[in-house]
Amino acid sequence: TITSCYATGAVSGFSSVGGLCGRNYHGTITSCYATGAVSGTDYVGGLCGYNDDTITSCYATGAVSGTDFVGGLCGWNEDGMITFCYATGAVSGTDFVGGLCGYNRRTITSCYATGAVSGTSSSVGGLCGENYYYSTISRSFWDIQTSGMTTSAGGTGKTTAQMQTLSTFTSAGWDFTNETTNGRNEIWRMCINGVDYPHLNWESIDGDFSCPDGINIEDLSYFIGRWLMKGCTVGNNYCGGADLNYSGVVDLVDWAIFAENWLKI
């Protein structure tokens, strides 16, 4: 298990190269990010080169380059699940190249990519280069303008304006702050339409649970509404983010973290 970690350095190698992890073998990567440039030959990803299991609530922003199986977040997704993730870095390669994932053999759900994508084969896409026939990509998007790609093996292409519009994602079932129709786990955040792409809610200051930005009375009300909740896990985004220290329960330790950040912006 890798949780709440990050890496910023440039990474280079040959096979199974990632900005945070080379290969995730029967493991879980949660709430992590990588920003460094990544280069290699095959199975190259901005966050993880080769994924065999679970990556959730993560992102990568670095440029990624390689030959085959190259992706902005993950080069090859083998029997793994990628959920609630995004990639913004430029991606270049030869075959099986995608803004988020080069080759998908399992499941990608509620993800997006915005980086420029380039390759020389037909298996190159704005979100994913190739999607194996029994695999699924659902509720996921890529920016057709910034990527320079109008096609993808899975996902839905949108303009930049559409990618920066909240309803694009909520209509697909994405769980955002300040809405309850799609759940109360508060995975994503977009406080102002037309300004930026969605971000993961954990990227904000600890205790800033809801819009507007900054920790204020709205966040206090949110926190009180989840006081002493138990069973906080990755599956429910640690009780909608209120379990600030990932202990499994919303308690006095979380209150201390919240109080320390009171009125921060």
Side-chain angles (χ1 to χ4, degrees), residues 179-262:
E179 64 84 29
T180 57
T181 301
N182 297 325
R184 300 180 70 240
N185 294 331
E186 320 291 45
I187 304 294
W188 297 95
R189 183 186 188 94
M190 182 188 285
C191 288
I192 304 175
N193 266 330
V195 175
D196 198 2
Y197 301 95
H199 286 277
L200 292 160
N201 198 26
W202 63 258
E203 295 180 58
S204 58
I205 303 169
D206 282 345
D208 187 5
F209 305 115
S210 60
C211 297
D213 290 325
I215 301 176
N216 49 40
I217 195 68
E218 287 88 354
D219 302 297
L220 177 60
S221 177
Y222 179 97
F223 186 76
I224 291 173
R226 287 159 175 76
W227 180 245
L228 296 183
M229 284 184 67
K230 298 180 180 179
C232 304
T233 65
V234 171
N236 58 27
N237 195 30
Y238 291 98
C239 292
D243 180 13
L244 295 169
N245 70 333
Y246 311 117
S247 67
V249 61
V250 182
D251 56 16
L252 285 173
V253 177
D254 303 302
W255 170 253
I257 297 171
F258 180 83
E260 184 179 0
N261 292 325
W262 178 247

Side-chain angles (χ1 to χ4, degrees), residues 82-85 100 107-113 127 136-142 152 154-158 163 168-169 172 174:
I82 300 175
T83 58
F84 314 133
C85 293
L100 185 91
T107 304
I108 296 174
T109 305
S110 300
C111 296
Y112 76 86
L127 185 82
T136 59
I137 298 176
S138 61
R139 301 188 296 179
S140 298
F141 305 90
W142 84 92
S152 172
T156 302
K158 298 287 185 180
M163 291 286 291
T168 296
F169 304 94
W174 287 35

